[in-house]
Amino acid sequence: MSGFLRLLGIGTNDSRFSNLNVTVEIYETVIARITHAVSRSDREEGGKLIGKISENGNQLKITVETYIDSGPRVNNSIGHLMPDGEYQEAMFRVLEKFDPDIHYLGSWHTHHCNDLPELSPGDIRSYKETLNSRNYNLDYFFALLVTALRGSKTQNLYYLFFREQEHGYELNDSLVHTVSRISPLDSILKNAEEVAFAHRRNRTLYSNNVYGTKSRASQIDTGVDPLEKIRSEDQQWILGEIPWAKPRQSKKDGSIYWQWQMDSNVGKLDVYYKHPSNSPSIPAYLEILFEGKQIISEHIPLNDSRFQKIKYCLDRAIEKTK
Ligand SMILES: [Zn+2]
């Protein structure tokens, strides 16, 4: 593999790709729309990248012309993003009528809101699942990750995954170029994205003001994440008390958990505070490990006394290691 692709994780390069020359062109309107979406949101945002791919001998050229946003019923927070798949699929079918040569090339999403500096294990797993599914008809999956917003510019990382290959690659910046072109499809998608954002704003206002306390039925109807309020309270508290804690997403069930280390007399303790995957009526779970062995395992009901209970468990863990 050329020196411009860095292997993710541990593993060996696959000889099938060792001579591949990859270039990526991204239309500047795509970058502009991504920057706009990221700058007005404090949650994970994203979209499906749409464009063309051409292979010629060992040359692989990916052209990202536009993207389909995450839709009116996106389920997202600072630590997760579940796009409105039905909307994205329907939108793609419409776009194909205008341009039958377009492909779904991969996706972009952002970690600007949670400071994760690279793809999460869950991100990588879902890209591989997409690539290896029968509905996906390319051998490549291109991913753009926004890691930060600095002023009016995003900081991006680029990745490429191959069908049936265990490891993905990070692409060197020099392989990715922005070109000053606009896809004719972009005006449809840009307008749809604006309508989706407006819909999301209304949905939040409606569910907060009209219903007052949210009923479970209304949350399902509107697609609002029932754990959203809990997550934002927990984020505030955790980042106040333990600024080095990191939000993560479980590979197994998609639930959000916080992970941090803390000092004890004998060494570092690993703390995991895990939210249930869907309903706030199920308690969260707190686990504390020392040298890989569990020393605390507690269910934390998601009510107002949860922070006191977490603090108590942290103190008890330190006591136990004395
Ligand atoms: Zn991610």
Side-chain angles (χ1 to χ4, degrees):
M1 182 77 62
S2 71
F4 295 109
L5 304 185
R6 190 173 70 83
L7 193 67
L8 290 180
I10 313 152
T12 48
N13 282 321
D14 188 309
S15 57
R16 282 175 297 168
F17 310 112
S18 57
N19 294 316
L20 203 58
N21 275 327
V22 182
T23 51
V24 180
E25 273 188 358
I26 304 179
Y27 285 10
E28 66 182 2
T29 45
V30 172
I31 300 295
R33 279 176 58 207
I34 290 177
T35 308
H36 186 49
V38 172
S39 62
R40 62 176 154 175
S41 176
D42 53 5
R43 298 164 180 222
E44 287 201 12
E45 300 292 341
K48 276 187 183 225
L49 300 172
I50 305 296
K52 312 271 162 63
I53 194 152
S54 70
E55 287 178 80
N56 194 352
N58 67 340
Q59 307 289 322
L60 173 69
K61 185 176 169 192
I62 295 169
T63 308
V64 180
E65 300 181 349
T66 185
Y67 73 82
I68 304 172
D69 71 284
S70 296
R73 286 169 179 260
V74 60
N75 180 336
N76 60 346
S77 72
I78 59 146
H80 88 293
L81 170 69
M82 251 163 57
D84 182 341
E86 245 174 70
Y87 161 88
Q88 290 181 323
E89 177 72 27
M91 194 58 97
F92 187 78
R93 296 292 159 234
V94 172
L95 300 179
E96 267 184 330
K97 303 281 175 217
F98 291 98
D99 184 350
D101 297 329
I102 53 161
H103 283 288
Y104 162 36
L105 301 171
S107 70
W108 76 270
H109 80 289
T110 175
H111 285 175
H112 76 293
C113 46
N114 54 34
D115 296 330
L116 291 179
E118 52 194 18
L119 294 177
S120 70
D123 292 334
I124 294 173
R125 188 180 46 102
S126 84
Y127 296 158
K128 287 203 288 202
E129 272 171 17
T130 304
L131 247 177
N132 296 323
S133 80
R134 262 184 283 149
N135 300 335
Y136 191 79
N137 44 27
L138 295 179
D139 287 335
Y140 311 99
F141 187 98
F142 172 68
L144 185 161
L145 176 71
V146 177
T147 53
L149 182 69
R150 302 248 182 276
S152 60
K153 285 196 86 146
T154 57
Q155 278 182 351
N156 305 333
L157 293 174
Y158 310 98
Y159 302 89
L160 193 61
F161 292 82
F162 299 95
R163 190 187 285 275
E164 288 169 4
Q165 210 197 358
E166 191 49 34
H167 298 281
Y169 294 86
E170 187 181 330
L171 302 182
N172 191 300
D173 279 359
S174 64
L175 303 177
V176 183
H177 310 279
T178 307
V179 291
S180 50
R181 292 191 62 183
I182 304 175
S183 161
L185 302 175
D186 211 56
S187 61
I188 302 172
L189 293 172
K190 195 176 166 191
N191 282 320
E193 185 172 20
E194 290 309 312
V195 177
F197 260 93
H199 181 89
R200 284 163 55 180
R201 265 197 305 277
N202 283 342
R203 192 180 70 183
T204 313
L205 285 177
Y206 191 67
S207 57
N208 285 343
N209 295 343
V210 180
Y211 287 116
T213 45
K214 300 176 192 176
S215 75
R216 179 121 174 84
S218 75
Q219 289 150 11
I220 291 167
D221 289 343
T222 54
V224 171
D225 180 355
L227 279 158
E228 201 171 272
K229 184 168 168 279
I230 301 275
R231 283 205 186 103
S232 82
E233 287 172 3
D234 282 9
Q235 183 195 10
Q236 249 183 344
W237 182 81
I238 291 172
L239 292 182
E241 296 279 323
I242 313 132
W244 60 92
K246 294 284 177 209
R248 309 246 186 259
Q249 188 168 22
S250 158
K251 276 197 233 177
K252 249 196 332 219
D253 57 7
S255 59
I256 304 295
Y257 65 96
W258 289 83
Q259 185 188 6
W260 68 91
Q261 280 197 322
M262 98 188 159
D263 286 316
S264 76
N265 297 335
V266 286
K268 300 257 187 231
L269 302 178
D270 290 300
V271 185
Y272 298 86
Y273 171 59
K274 186 179 172 190
H275 281 164
S277 59
N278 48 24
S279 165
S281 58
I282 301 169
Y285 178 62
L286 183 78
E287 190 181 27
I288 304 178
L289 308 177
F290 173 61
E291 291 180 341
K293 267 189 12 212
Q294 187 184 66
I295 54 169
I296 299 278
S297 151
E298 278 291 338
H299 290 289
I300 312 282
L302 292 173
N303 55 32
D304 290 345
S305 51
R306 65 189 182 279
F307 302 127
Q308 247 178 321
K309 183 151 187 195
I310 294 172
K311 274 188 162 173
Y312 171 73
C313 290
L314 299 179
D315 290 344
R316 239 180 63 216
I318 291 182
E319 273 303 307
K320 276 194 167 182
T321 56
K322 269 185 186 162

PDB file of all heavy atoms in Angstrom, residues 44 109 111 120 123, ligand 1:
ATOM      1  N   GLU A  44     -24.070  14.831  17.592  1.00  0.00           N
ATOM      2  CA  GLU A  44     -23.490  14.176  16.418  1.00  0.00           C
ATOM      3  C   GLU A  44     -24.435  14.397  15.225  1.00  0.00           C
ATOM      4  O   GLU A  44     -25.633  14.164  15.327  1.00  0.00           O
ATOM      5  CB  GLU A  44     -23.299  12.669  16.677  1.00  0.00           C
ATOM      6  CG  GLU A  44     -22.151  12.389  17.621  1.00  0.00           C
ATOM      7  CD  GLU A  44     -21.612  10.946  17.497  1.00  0.00           C
ATOM      8  OE1 GLU A  44     -21.961  10.234  16.534  1.00  0.00           O
ATOM      9  OE2 GLU A  44     -20.831  10.564  18.384  1.00  0.00           O
ATOM     10  N   HIS A 109     -19.725  11.835   9.505  1.00  0.00           N
ATOM     11  CA  HIS A 109     -20.355  12.217  10.764  1.00  0.00           C
ATOM     12  C   HIS A 109     -19.353  12.980  11.615  1.00  0.00           C
ATOM     13  O   HIS A 109     -18.199  13.137  11.234  1.00  0.00           O
ATOM     14  CB  HIS A 109     -20.994  11.021  11.486  1.00  0.00           C
ATOM     15  CG  HIS A 109     -20.049  10.158  12.245  1.00  0.00           C
ATOM     16  ND1 HIS A 109     -19.136   9.329  11.629  1.00  0.00           N
ATOM     17  CD2 HIS A 109     -19.881   9.979  13.587  1.00  0.00           C
ATOM     18  CE1 HIS A 109     -18.461   8.675  12.560  1.00  0.00           C
ATOM     19  NE2 HIS A 109     -18.880   9.057  13.757  1.00  0.00           N
ATOM     20  N   HIS A 111     -17.632  14.203  15.451  1.00  0.00           N
ATOM     21  CA  HIS A 111     -17.328  14.023  16.879  1.00  0.00           C
ATOM     22  C   HIS A 111     -16.969  15.371  17.514  1.00  0.00           C
ATOM     23  O   HIS A 111     -16.357  15.391  18.565  1.00  0.00           O
ATOM     24  CB  HIS A 111     -16.153  13.046  17.055  1.00  0.00           C
ATOM     25  CG  HIS A 111     -16.511  11.605  16.830  1.00  0.00           C
ATOM     26  ND1 HIS A 111     -15.583  10.606  16.841  1.00  0.00           N
ATOM     27  CD2 HIS A 111     -17.707  10.996  16.609  1.00  0.00           C
ATOM     28  CE1 HIS A 111     -16.185   9.433  16.615  1.00  0.00           C
ATOM     29  NE2 HIS A 111     -17.465   9.651  16.469  1.00  0.00           N
ATOM     30  N   SER A 120     -14.983   5.605  16.433  1.00  0.00           N
ATOM     31  CA  SER A 120     -15.194   4.715  17.579  1.00  0.00           C
ATOM     32  C   SER A 120     -15.246   3.274  17.057  1.00  0.00           C
ATOM     33  O   SER A 120     -15.487   3.057  15.862  1.00  0.00           O
ATOM     34  CB  SER A 120     -16.511   5.062  18.269  1.00  0.00           C
ATOM     35  OG  SER A 120     -17.594   4.696  17.440  1.00  0.00           O
ATOM     36  N   ASP A 123     -18.369   2.800  15.202  1.00  0.00           N
ATOM     37  CA  ASP A 123     -18.364   3.371  13.838  1.00  0.00           C
ATOM     38  C   ASP A 123     -17.779   2.354  12.861  1.00  0.00           C
ATOM     39  O   ASP A 123     -18.351   2.068  11.810  1.00  0.00           O
ATOM     40  CB  ASP A 123     -17.488   4.638  13.772  1.00  0.00           C
ATOM     41  CG  ASP A 123     -18.068   5.802  14.563  1.00  0.00           C
ATOM     42  OD1 ASP A 123     -19.290   5.843  14.740  1.00  0.00           O
ATOM     43  OD2 ASP A 123     -17.268   6.665  14.994  1.00  0.00           O
TER      44      ASP A 123
HETATM   45 ZN    ZN B   1     -18.591   8.160  15.632  1.00  0.00          ZN
END
